[in-house]
């Protein structure tokens, strides 16, 4: 019975992917046919939709650096008895807060560093 359910789940997944792809192609074909019927140039319309994806390596690098800096700071601060008691009282949640704080600060820095200059 469990194998049948697993097979139905996979069948449903692949059927939904196939039909999504099929209806996408069908809609694109209808759109192009409508443009051809109205005597429009298809190349002009699709040339305007040019989009280049750039992976944000700088932002990712700054985020990882900020989280690592926060983790390193917590490791060094945990040798102080007062900070160690705070970490023990919060069941380690203070470590999570420090990581998120420094990760957030690094994302703010990354936003301003990666922002294009207005010349």
């Amino acid at each position: 019975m469990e194998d049948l359910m697993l097979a139905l789940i996979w069948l449903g997944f692949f059927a939904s992917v196939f039909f999504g792809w099929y209806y996408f192609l069908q809609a694109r074909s209808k759109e192009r046919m409508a443009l051809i019927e109205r005597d429009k140039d298809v190349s002009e319309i699709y040339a305007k939709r040019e989009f280049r994806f750039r992976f944000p390596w700088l932002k990712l690098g700054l985020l990882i650096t900020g989280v690592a800096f926060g983790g390193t700071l917590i490791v060094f601060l945990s040798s102080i008895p007062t900070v160690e008691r705070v970490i023990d009282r919060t069941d380690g949640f203070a470590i999570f807060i420090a990581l998120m704080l420094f990760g957030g600060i690094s994302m703010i820095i990354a936003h301003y560093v990666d922002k294009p200059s207005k010349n």
Side-chain angles (χ1 to χ4, degrees):
M1 187 67 175
E2 190 173 308
D3 292 335
L4 179 64
M5 290 300 292
L6 186 62
L8 287 175
I9 289 171
W10 279 108
L11 182 66
F13 172 73
F14 286 118
S16 64
V17 169
F18 172 76
F19 283 116
W21 174 71
Y22 174 76
Y23 284 117
F24 167 74
L25 290 179
Q26 190 177 20
R28 187 174 68 175
S29 175
K30 284 183 181 180
E31 178 186 26
R32 289 180 179 176
M33 290 302 291
L35 288 171
I36 290 170
E37 287 175 359
R38 291 190 180 104
D39 214 17
K40 301 281 184 177
D41 189 15
V42 179
S43 63
E44 290 178 9
I45 294 171
Y46 287 110
K48 295 176 186 176
R49 294 185 183 181
E50 187 174 325
F51 174 75
R52 290 185 55 210
F53 176 73
R54 273 184 10 158
F55 191 79
W57 289 109
L58 177 66
K59 289 184 179 185
L60 181 66
L62 284 171
L63 174 66
I64 292 171
T65 304
V67 170
F69 180 74
T72 306
L73 187 68
I74 284 294
V75 167
F76 287 129
L77 288 178
S78 65
S79 63
I80 301 172
T82 311
V83 177
E84 189 176 0
R85 281 193 296 259
V86 169
I87 291 172
D88 288 340
R89 273 193 228 132
T90 59
D91 293 328
F93 193 66
I95 297 171
F96 176 74
I97 291 172
L99 292 176
M100 292 298 111
L101 173 70
F102 283 100
I105 290 170
S106 68
M107 286 302 291
I108 292 169
I109 292 170
H111 172 74
Y112 286 110
V113 167
D114 198 31
K115 185 186 281 189
S117 62
K118 295 180 181 178
N119 289 337

